[in-house]
Structure formats: C-alpha cells, structure tokens
Amino acid sequence: MKYVLAIDQGTTSTRAILFDTNLTPVFTAQEEFQQIFPHSGWVEHKADDLWQTTLRTCRQVIEQAGGSAADIISIGITNQRETTVVWDAKTGEAIYNAIVWQDRRTSDLCRTLTGAGHAEMFQDRTGLLVDPYFSATKLKWVLDNVEGARARAQRGELLFGTVDSFLIWQLTEGRVHATDATNAARTMLYDIRKGRWSQTICDLLEIPMNMLPTVKDSADDFGSTSLLGADLPIRGVAGDQQAATVGQACFEPGMLKSTYGTGCFALLNTGDVPVASKNRLLTTIAYQLDGKPTYALEGSIFVAGAVVQWLRDGLKIIQSAGETQNLAENADPTQSVVMVPAFTGLGAPYWSPDSRGAIFGLTRNSGPAEFAKAALESVGYQTRDLIDAMRADWQQHATGSGGEAVLRVDGGMSASDWTMQFLADITNAPVDRPRVLETTALGVAWLAGMKMGALPDQAEFAKNWALERRFAPEMQAEERAAKYGRWQQAVQSTLTY
C-alpha cells in the first residue's frame, strides 16, 4: 500500500498521519510539547521541541505501517501559523525560543506603528491589521532583543521562518529555505497582491530581506528528506487554516469553513479577488496553485478549544474535554451565564489585544455545568461575530450570488454535537460536519499527493467530500436575538473595562 505522510505541527502538539491513496487516514502518531509562559501575555515554544516531535511522530507512523518509508509517495506539511523562529543558517539552532502566534509582547510596538500612520499601508499590502498576532513584529523583537542578532542577520548568518520553513530546513538538512504563499501571507511582511516580500515594510521594521524564505505555491517542490529511511519528496505546504480550507474542498467563491482547535478560524473563499474588509477581518491567501493565488476573508478567534483546556487545567472542574457536553446539557436553563474568553485579548472583528476574560450573570447556584455551557456557547457567539462580518463584506462583492449559506466545520470541538447544534442555532445557518474531521492534515496530504500525480485533481477531490451530519437551526428567533444581545453587552463590557 502507498501512503502520503501529512505532518501537522500544531500549537500544543505535533501529529504525523499516513493517508492511503483513497485519502483515508490509516496511521497516526501524536506528541504534545511544553508551553512556555515567561511573562503575562508571552507564549513561547522551544524550537527544537517542534522539530524533534515532528521527527519522532513521523518515525512512529512509519513503524506502525510496517517500517518501510519507501511506501510513502510524498510529504505534506501544515503548521501553526505566525509563530516565529530565527535560527543559525549553518547549524539550524534557534537563537531564541519560537514566539507563538498567541504572544502579545509587541502590543506597544503595534500601537506605535498605528499611531505613526502606517496601518493603512500594512493593510493595503498584506491584507492584515497591525497586530502582535502576526510574525513581523515578533521577528523585529528578536532582532532588537537578542544580543548581536541584528548584526548577524545583516551578515546573512541568521534565517527567519514560520514553523513550516523551519521544518523544511531541518528535513532537507539546510538545503531548502522556503515557505508557501499561505504562510507568507500571515507574516505581515508579504505583499499578497504583488506576490513578493515588501521591501517597504522590511525597511520600516529594519528586517534584512536575506533572512526571508523563498515563497512557493502550496503544491510545489520543497526539496526532499532522507531522514526517515528513504529519499522522500516534500510537495505540499499550507498554514493550518488554509490547509483546512483545502481539506473542506472550499474551492468556490462564497464557500465558508470554520476550524475549532486551540483557537477558531473561519475562512470565506473570495476567488481571485482580494476583498478589502470594512469590518476588521483579514484579507489573506486561501491557497496558491500554478502561480495563481485564491484569496479569502478570515476571522480569527484566539480562544476556542483553549477555553475547555482552561476549565480542565485552570479551574480543574473537568478531567477531560468530553465532559463538557454532558455538563452543558444539564446546566440550569434559567441562568444566563455568559463567558467572554479573552485570555489573550479579543481577535476579529474587535482586535483588542489588551482585553481580558470575564464572566457575567453569575448566581449563587452557578457551578461547573453553567461554566461548561457558557464556555461552549462562547465559541458559537464568537463564530457568529465572524460570520456576520464576513457576510457584510462579501455581499458588497457577490451581489446576486445566491445559494444557501452553509458553514463547514472541523477540528476537535466539531465532534461535540451540543456545540455544533448551538453553533447552527446562534448563526441561523446549517452546519455541515464532514466524515473526515482531520481536514487540516487531509488538505495538505491532498496537495502533496496531487502534486506527485498520485491523487485526484481539484474537481474530483471536491466531488468526493463526504458529509457526516448536518445540524439545522432549531432556536426561535426571539431567543437567538436575546442570547446574542447578552453576548454583545458582555463583549462591550470587556472592551471598556
């Protein structure tokens, strides 16, 4: 049997999945790694942890499949986006911990850039808002704060990359320093319309352009690795949310997907038009094939699955994520507890990095069940915020497009029937859950296998997308309006706290 190896390097764990040529996941290995919080709002990973967990999980799935890497057709890499690594161009050793996408240490710098009148330029070129979320200010922080880093970078001794670039460099033993257009589009350094790194932005942030990787298509030649027992080509790369968009076969303009992992990320395909948002969404690249980018509107929620982790690890009121559904089902229906999980600020469409979490509507009888219900509902409310903003932006460009608005969902939380039903209820839209929930890995596996000619083309892949269950809205309009109104009041309170 032949396989495609998908490397899914995420925020809290690394997974390797072997897909057969029917794109069925058959072998999986997963390993968590340390989360580092040096100061309030700072989040880091050891770069070597990202690499070593990748290497180990790949070797584990090959062992599960019988130990022969020669059965692997191609490798695809999908990754946590915006996370920033700077490493020695000769040794591959990181000069500082990877600064994670959630990290907020550059909030002051972002305010300074906005105050100096640069926000419009950044948005026009990159499609992004000036925010600590993206890689550019993280990279500047490393160059400014690690002794000798800027001088070394100017001499060509240091390389920058998002996690995909770092893994490609390690897998190819330093032969390839590359990224794909979807990851480049998340750095706040890449001109998404011209398809190249922005000299203007790099000069403004004092970033030497010789540090930056070569930008390729999402299905392209990223070199090969001989570290897994055979010479294996790397042919697919995409940031995790774009890979999920591909895995959900959202290839037509107007199609929408939402992925529920640590955070929640919704992408709306806008075709070959980069739609400038008037509602504080991001304009980004959904995927790039044959040199042609397909654009998307994106809304990012910083805390989705992480709110359940907080119930488990912070409050210790559950032992596993699966308990939340039963608790929510048994919560007191007369209570209206609202949780705003702004632990690391609020993402789209608010973009308030300094907001912090809050809980409203507590009574003496509020307990674990009400907390669990409020936590799961917060994911639906935040998704509603994103979808409403997307619809407002998209309708201006897609008049008369017609068709029923359907949300395709994936990621760990999408397995919760209760959460997905609430999502359908609060957004007043059908929610479609596919048979294969591992859409992030699926997307990059298809890119890698398709590039090798071993998997179906785009049209056939889309036709094979399979529905597991549709959740239809059941909530009455009055109840929906009342609940969403309380959420909006709660958010406004956190924004003005």
Side-chain angles (χ1 to χ4, degrees), residues 437-482:
L437 287 179
E438 301 294 350
T439 53
T440 302
L442 173 66
V444 81
W446 173 74
L447 288 168
M450 179 270 295
K451 183 64 179 176
M452 295 293 292
L455 293 178
D457 63 15
Q458 188 171 320
E460 189 68 21
F461 177 71
K463 191 164 65 175
N464 290 335
W465 183 90
L467 177 70
E468 183 263 330
R469 178 174 173 182
R470 168 169 286 191
F471 297 85
E474 297 175 353
M475 186 179 290
Q476 295 298 310
E478 296 81 2
E479 182 183 0
R480 179 184 303 113

Side-chain angles (χ1 to χ4, degrees), residues 144-215:
D144 288 343
N145 288 276
V146 176
E147 186 176 356
R150 189 174 299 283
R152 292 187 65 197
Q154 290 169 344
R155 293 195 299 267
E157 297 174 10
L158 299 179
L159 300 176
F160 153 77
T162 43
V163 173
D164 58 305
S165 296
F166 182 65
L167 295 181
I168 290 166
W169 195 96
Q170 298 290 349
L171 284 164
T172 62
E173 298 174 272
R175 293 187 301 275
V176 178
H177 183 217
T179 188
D180 90 301
T182 70
N183 279 294
R186 310 299 299 186
T187 61
M188 213 168 76
L189 295 169
Y190 187 71
D191 190 321
I192 62 171
R193 289 168 176 82
K194 294 181 178 178
R196 66 189 185 208
W197 299 113
S198 170
Q199 181 76 59
T200 302
I201 294 174
C202 288
D203 289 347
L204 177 65
L205 299 179
E206 301 177 282
I207 293 171
M209 294 187 75
N210 60 6
M211 300 183 72
L212 308 181
T214 300
V215 182

Side-chain angles (χ1 to χ4, degrees), residues 38 46 51 79 121 123 130 154 164 200 220 250-251 273 276 320-321 353 362 417 424 448 468 472 479:
K46 293 179 181 176
W51 165 232
N79 55 284
M121 181 273 292
Q123 187 168 13
V130 176
Q154 290 169 344
D164 58 305
T200 302
D220 212 322
C250 289
F251 296 134
V273 179
S320 67
L362 295 177
D417 290 352
E468 183 263 330
E479 182 183 0

